[in-house]
Amino acid sequence: MEERYAPGAVEAKWQKKWALEKSFKVTEDQSREKYYLLEMFPYPSGRIHMGHVRNYSIGDVVGRFKRMRGFNVLHPMGWDAFGMPAENAAIQNKSHPAKWTSENIDYMRGQLKRMGLSYDWDRELATCDLSYYRWEQKIFLEMFEKGLAYKKSSFVNWCPSCETVLANEQVEDGACWRCDSDVKQKELEQWFFRITDYAEELLECTEKLPGWPERVLVMQRNWIGKSFGCEIDFPLEKGSGAIKVFTTRQDTLYGATFMSLAPEHPQALSLATTERRGEVEAFIQKVKSTEKVRRTAEDFEKEGVFTGSYCINPATGLRIPVYLANFVLTDYGTGAVMAVPAHDQRDFEFAKKYDLPVVVVIQPDGEPIDPSGMISAYTEPGTMVNSGQFDNISSLAAKERIADWLEGKGRGKKTVNFRLRDWGISRQRYWGNPIPVIYCDSCGTLPVPEKDLPVVLPLDVAFTGEGGSPLARLDTFINVDCPKCGKPARRETDTMDTFVQSSWYFLRYSCSDYTGGPLDTEKVKYWMSVDQYIGGIEHAVLHLLYARFFTKVLRDLGYVNVDEPFTNLLTQGMVIKDGAKMSKSKGNVVDPNALIERYGADTARLFSLFAAPPEKDLDWNDAGVDGSFRFLNRLWKLVAEAMPFISSTTPVDVNSLSDEAKGLRRVVHKTIRKVTADIDERFHFNTAIAAIMELVNAVHSFSPKNLPQNGPLLREALESTLLLLYPFVPHFSEELWEKTGHEGGIEKAGWPSYDQEAAADEELLIVVQVNGKLRGRVTVPVDAGEDSVKSVAFADEKVTAFLEGKAPKKVIYVPGKLLNIVV
């Protein structure tokens, strides 16, 4: 056996073998327990980065581990290939998005295969392939038929120079990221998915996802934003009609001294008097050029304009002025806010700026608030004042009583509001899935008949990136006969948001070659839900929420039989270097190709898994990479040196082992136990690898290696080491497994089991006293520290009974012998 480890040759050998034998191809097998493992599929940007290496290595460990334990593992890969980044890159490179995307996929596929990832490549899909997006169009038609897809007017970010809608992320300081033109808010007809119909279920089901990080669930709950409050009508002073508001603070109604409307509010212009109209119109245009995110920032200057109109506070009967305010959005509630400056900070700042009255209606316990001396709003609970019949009761109780009073008077009603808004899916871009809709002057808006699907995205377009989407100028695409009356009609030229494609790809993997519809229900039934999903925390809201919504829609359409797509979710940390996330602009990027070329894929995998737990950020360290490579070389050399002594397949005779040999065997089986738990229960890959390294150290330090009677033990130790290492460094482990005389591949050997007796922790008996008197005995591991001993003692029922709930004044520990609790 070669004494030197040559990763390039070893990895090429096993990658070729896995590919030829389709080692990771999987089919449905009702006799085996399935395990669906998935990492979020990548956007084909052209190159994988170290974040990819880490993310996919994490998944690969789980996949190989589960296969070794007998699971029928589905582990697919594909490409999130539509969307604006491809279009923008194609413009910059004077290419076509289809060509640019295809070339990138080919290159990145090669990179992923070079990492030795255990994907079933036969299930590969790209969302820009007709075989994928045609079925998405069918789903759209079914949603349209159910009223879940509809069109309405909406304000969007519009670049007049590029003639296109921009995502919020593409607006930088109010300007287009590409041409620096001022971005405007433009009202356009847009297609929406009615995700709000599922708001309650989406919220409720966050309580049924114990395998998700609580941080992600909180973010989704906040995004859905369920709140209980009142809708209140403020009648207009002149004419008929009212301004409707939603508030969760009806207890402050008597303190509402003005009304704030969003500039986009449908009543904004109609409420402007003749004298004020010019100023109101100018203000509306000014606000339209400001990003919504900036408008709601705490440090954003609050500005407004008086419309000249008044409405009536339904509680006080007083007229209050109606303003437009730049911090009010139409995206929440009704787009109108009853302004209570004494008890809302934004209203307070606005009132101070425009010299509007401040009326205190809730007083704290203690020193009363004088509105003339206020420097900020009082937002805490307290006692009602200046509130008529509701004076002198708690503000919390007043919420319910005022809500009942409003309902009784017909001036308002209790209601539930959600922050969540329907999902706008229209994109005035070329590189996306065409929306299958036709417009006819006689028949109106019509879905493309199913028999005429798919609506193919034409590739023969003049693609310059100027003048908006080329689809809007392509007569051969636009002009079509009306499917109902036969008269000339026109196609929709908007394409779907790329998040639509990523909202159901995980379902299509179960039947990626199915031609009878979007999904093969029987295969979906076998594989779903995804048992383990892995991806970045940045997808906590949009992608993960949309995927949950789509799963519920497809359930209701009869395609799937599950309520939730992902049983368990792991959000891995970032890869950082020199204290910052890797990026070209910071000059701290590590090229995976160069790393793999120098050290091999297994070293790259090993370091990325060893340097930090998966959910934490990984701080890149060149010395750590080198250390991982040295470890593999050390183990390679150890196996080579042991070859003369491990040829026998005789099992270990435990009774004949020396004390030193028994000690090594104990380390072997404790390591198997720990690594199993670290992978299966906790995903603590870093501590699992550390335990394997300690096992290698124990084998290396085992002095009587060359004694014939220790050959079986040495073989057991090295075999166990290779089996435990396989999910982390598969090429390396396969090669040494073969060189030590095994046939059929290491995965078929299965995951090692441990001897419970050999793996048992040595234990100590600790006497527990309370105030110097014997009150119990507890057993702890021999290496347990003082804190561990205390934890075990305080959890003992006999001991806690004697404590009688009293807090200890002092705890005295005599290591390995006694714990005295003084109360």
Side-chain angles (χ1 to χ4, degrees):
M1 174 180 166
E2 307 89 341
E3 288 196 8
R4 187 171 181 81
Y5 169 46
V10 168
E11 291 173 3
K13 167 187 170 180
W14 288 101
Q15 287 164 16
K16 181 179 179 180
K17 181 178 176 63
W18 294 333
L20 288 173
E21 296 179 358
K22 293 186 178 292
S23 298
F24 312 115
K25 182 178 175 61
V26 67
T27 57
E28 298 71 36
D29 184 347
Q30 299 296 338
S31 68
R32 297 172 64 195
E33 185 175 355
K34 69 92 180 177
Y35 191 87
Y36 186 177
L37 166 71
L38 186 63
E39 303 98 45
M40 295 178 185
F41 64 169
Y43 174 73
S45 58
R47 300 290 185 272
I48 65 170
H49 51 69
M50 288 312 301
H52 289 128
V53 171
R54 187 188 192 198
N55 189 25
Y56 303 142
S57 295
I58 290 168
D60 203 55
V61 169
V62 179
R64 291 180 186 273
F65 172 78
K66 290 294 184 179
R67 272 191 297 271
M68 290 181 80
R69 303 204 82 184
F71 286 85
N72 195 30
V73 177
L74 171 59
H75 191 198
M77 175 50 69
W79 312 96
D80 190 8
F82 267 145
M84 287 185 286
E87 195 166 327
N88 295 332
I91 293 168
Q92 293 166 2
N93 295 301
K94 297 181 179 179
S95 181
H96 191 287
K99 180 176 183 291
W100 187 85
T101 300
S102 178
E103 289 174 351
N104 285 351
I105 287 174
D106 288 343
Y107 187 86
M108 292 177 70
R109 184 192 300 112
Q111 287 185 295
L112 295 182
K113 288 186 175 182
R114 180 70 182 82
M115 283 179 61
L117 300 166
S118 57
Y119 294 130
D120 180 355
W121 285 105
D122 286 356
R123 294 176 184 263
E124 180 184 12
L125 60 81
T127 58
C128 64
D129 287 346
L130 183 62
S131 60
Y132 183 86
Y133 75 75
R134 67 175 297 169
W135 300 120
E136 189 169 281
Q137 292 176 4
K138 184 177 188 302
I139 294 169
F140 177 94
L141 294 185
E142 293 185 49
M143 293 177 71
F144 180 80
E145 183 181 348
K146 297 284 188 182
L148 292 172
Y150 69 97
K151 197 172 190 182
K152 71 172 183 178
S153 179
S154 172
F155 283 93
V156 295
N157 299 316
W158 179 260
C159 175
S161 176
C162 299
E163 296 185 53
T164 187
V165 168
L166 301 177
N168 287 335
E169 296 80 14
Q170 294 177 309
V171 181
E172 300 173 351
D173 295 325
C176 174
W177 70 281
R178 190 194 307 161
C179 69
D180 283 330
S181 298
D182 288 341
V183 172
K184 308 296 182 185
Q185 288 286 302
K186 184 174 182 178
E187 192 169 10
L188 290 178
E189 291 285 315
Q190 302 275 288
W191 283 96
F192 288 82
F193 283 156
R194 209 178 296 274
I195 190 174
T196 51
D197 278 11
Y198 289 81
E200 189 68 56
E201 186 183 359
L202 287 166
L203 183 63
E204 287 180 357
C205 284
T206 62
E207 304 295 338
K208 302 174 184 177
L209 295 170
W212 282 44
E214 185 61 25
R215 178 185 174 192
V216 174
L217 295 174
V218 168
M219 291 170 74
Q220 292 216 357
R221 290 172 192 138
N222 291 341
W223 189 265
I224 295 167
K226 185 178 182 180
S227 53
F228 298 88
C230 279
E231 279 186 355
I232 306 174
D233 291 326
F234 285 68
L236 296 176
E237 182 189 36
K238 294 181 180 179
S240 59
I243 298 173
K244 188 182 294 293
V245 306
F246 170 79
T247 180
T248 60
R249 293 298 310 274
Q250 60 268 25
D251 54 324
T252 65
L253 176 58
Y254 282 80
T257 59
F258 62 97
M259 177 69 66
S260 299
L261 266 60
E264 303 90 349
H265 193 283
Q267 292 174 277
L269 274 176
S270 64
L271 289 172
T273 60
T274 304
E275 299 79 13
R276 307 290 301 171
R277 189 172 185 87
E279 192 174 347
V280 168
E281 287 179 341
F283 181 77
I284 290 173
Q285 290 305 313
K286 177 183 177 181
V287 175
K288 281 184 177 181
S289 65
T290 306
E291 295 173 82
K292 290 181 179 179
V293 175
R294 288 178 62 202
R295 285 168 57 186
T296 56
E298 287 187 12
D299 59 351
F300 188 65
E301 185 178 358
K302 313 300 184 289
E303 292 183 335
V305 63
F306 178 42
T307 63
S309 293
Y310 293 85
C311 61
I312 306 300
N313 184 321
T316 64
L318 300 175
R319 73 172 193 166
I320 60 176
V322 179
Y323 277 75
L324 305 188
N326 62 355
F327 59 88
V328 181
L329 304 178
T330 55
D331 293 346
Y332 182 74
T334 65
V337 175
M338 66 172 205
V340 186
H343 305 292
D344 181 274
Q345 186 60 30
R346 294 187 306 175
D347 295 343
F348 180 82
E349 293 172 16
F350 193 91
K352 288 296 183 182
K353 182 168 185 173
Y354 293 99
D355 197 23
L356 295 164
V358 177
V359 176
V360 173
V361 294
I362 299 175
Q363 288 284 8
D365 296 335
E367 189 72 22
I369 297 172
D370 180 353
S372 64
M374 293 180 73
I375 58 173
S376 63
Y378 176 72
T379 59
E380 300 300 316
T383 301
M384 300 291 290
V385 296
N386 299 322
S387 298
Q389 62 181 299
F390 304 104
D391 281 355
N392 301 317
I393 65 173
S394 76
S395 57
L396 296 177
K399 280 189 176 185
E400 189 70 19
R401 290 179 60 175
I402 290 176
D404 291 338
W405 178 79
L406 286 166
E407 287 193 329
K409 294 290 186 180
R411 299 173 187 174
K413 63 178 182 179
K414 296 177 186 176
T415 188
V416 175
N417 190 70
F418 289 93
R419 179 177 180 267
L420 182 67
R421 288 292 177 260
D422 282 341
W423 173 12
I425 66 158
S426 289
R427 296 294 179 268
Q428 289 70 34
R429 305 291 293 213
Y430 162 71
W431 190 237
N433 188 2
I435 296 175
V437 168
I438 292 171
Y439 302 106
C440 174
D441 291 338
S442 300
C443 305
T445 301
L446 299 169
V448 172
E450 190 174 329
K451 65 180 179 62
D452 294 337
L453 293 181
V455 177
V456 179
L457 181 69
L459 299 181
D460 56 340
V461 297
F463 195 78
T464 64
E466 298 177 357
S469 169
L471 291 181
R473 304 188 300 272
L474 192 64
D475 290 342
T476 55
F477 178 79
I478 296 172
N479 297 326
V480 65
D481 292 338
C482 174
K484 189 173 182 180
C485 70
K487 294 178 182 178
R490 62 195 182 280
R491 288 194 191 280
E492 171 65 77
T493 57
D494 285 358
T495 55
M496 296 189 211
D497 179 10
T498 185
F499 276 110
V500 178
Q501 286 90 67
S502 61
S503 292
W504 72 287
Y505 79 105
F506 47 89
L507 291 159
R508 183 67 184 177
Y509 275 141
S510 66
C511 52
S512 58
D513 59 350
Y514 185 57
T515 59
L519 298 168
D520 182 328
T521 55
E522 287 303 309
K523 291 184 177 181
V524 170
K525 185 177 180 180
Y526 176 81
W527 288 114
M528 287 297 292
S529 297
V530 175
D531 294 280
Q532 182 65 59
Y533 199 35
I534 302 171
I537 190 70
E538 66 272 17
H539 301 290
V541 175
L542 294 179
H543 163 58
L544 289 170
L545 190 65
Y546 293 154
R548 295 180 59 221
F549 162 63
F550 236 69
T551 300
K552 295 175 190 303
V553 169
L554 291 173
R555 174 202 63 196
D556 293 347
L557 293 176
Y559 286 110
V560 304
N561 65 326
V562 295
D563 297 327
E564 289 289 336
F566 314 120
T567 303
N568 297 291
L569 173 68
L570 172 67
T571 53
Q572 91 282 355
M574 296 186 299
V575 179
I576 60 177
K577 188 172 188 286
D578 303 327
K581 181 181 178 181
M582 287 188 182
S583 70
K584 292 180 181 178
S585 63
K586 292 185 174 69
N588 63 349
V589 171
V590 174
D591 179 15
N593 282 5
L595 184 70
I596 292 171
E597 190 67 30
R598 179 177 178 184
Y599 292 105
D602 278 345
T603 296
R605 291 167 57 120
L606 186 65
F607 171 75
S608 69
L609 296 165
F610 177 56
E615 71 279 6
K616 302 293 185 182
D617 289 346
L618 185 158
D619 196 353
W620 188 265
N621 183 304
D622 293 334
V625 178
D626 198 56
S628 295
F629 185 61
R630 288 199 308 272
F631 166 72
L632 294 179
N633 275 282
R634 185 183 186 216
L635 179 54
W636 182 281
K637 185 178 180 182
L638 181 61
V639 173
E641 292 174 348
M643 289 292 285
F645 314 111
I646 60 174
S647 57
S648 172
T649 57
T650 304
V652 177
D653 182 358
V654 178
N655 295 325
S656 67
L657 295 178
S658 65
D659 288 344
E660 185 178 0
K662 287 179 180 177
L664 175 60
R665 188 166 185 269
R666 184 178 302 113
V667 173
V668 170
H669 287 270
K670 289 180 74 169
T671 303
I672 295 172
R673 184 184 67 181
K674 176 171 176 53
V675 174
T676 303
D678 280 350
I679 297 177
D680 198 31
E681 300 170 14
R682 297 182 284 268
F683 282 11
H684 287 183
F685 303 145
N686 58 322
T687 57
I689 293 169
I692 297 170
M693 289 178 171
E694 290 175 6
L695 171 58
V696 171
N697 288 339
V699 176
H700 193 271
S701 302
F702 183 56
S703 54
K705 287 198 252 322
N706 56 353
L707 295 179
Q709 64 267 32
N710 289 328
L713 173 62
L714 188 60
R715 183 179 184 88
E716 180 186 69
L718 291 174
E719 283 181 345
S720 298
T721 301
L722 296 178
L723 289 168
L724 297 176
L725 266 180
Y726 169 71
F728 305 100
V729 287
H731 314 84
F732 177 91
S733 302
E734 283 273 28
E735 182 70 9
L736 289 184
W737 189 255
E738 183 181 76
K739 288 187 179 299
T740 50
H742 300 88
E743 297 179 356
I746 192 170
E747 205 167 89
K748 293 181 179 177
W751 189 253
S753 58
Y754 59 88
D755 182 328
Q756 291 192 357
E757 184 177 343
D761 290 314
E762 295 181 33
E763 293 182 328
L764 292 173
L765 185 67
I766 304 294
V767 172
V768 181
Q769 296 178 340
V770 177
N771 292 335
K773 295 183 179 180
L774 176 64
R775 296 307 187 197
R777 294 179 176 85
V778 295
T779 55
V780 297
V782 69
D783 56 352
E786 182 175 346
D787 289 342
S788 297
V789 174
K790 289 179 182 177
S791 296
V792 174
F794 282 110
D796 185 84
E797 291 183 0
K798 290 183 179 179
V799 174
T800 54
F802 283 106
L803 292 176
E804 298 177 341
K806 298 175 183 176
K809 296 178 181 178
K810 184 168 59 173
V811 179
I812 302 168
Y813 178 54
V814 179
K817 296 181 179 179
L818 178 145
L819 188 78
N820 183 23
I821 304 168
V822 180
V823 296

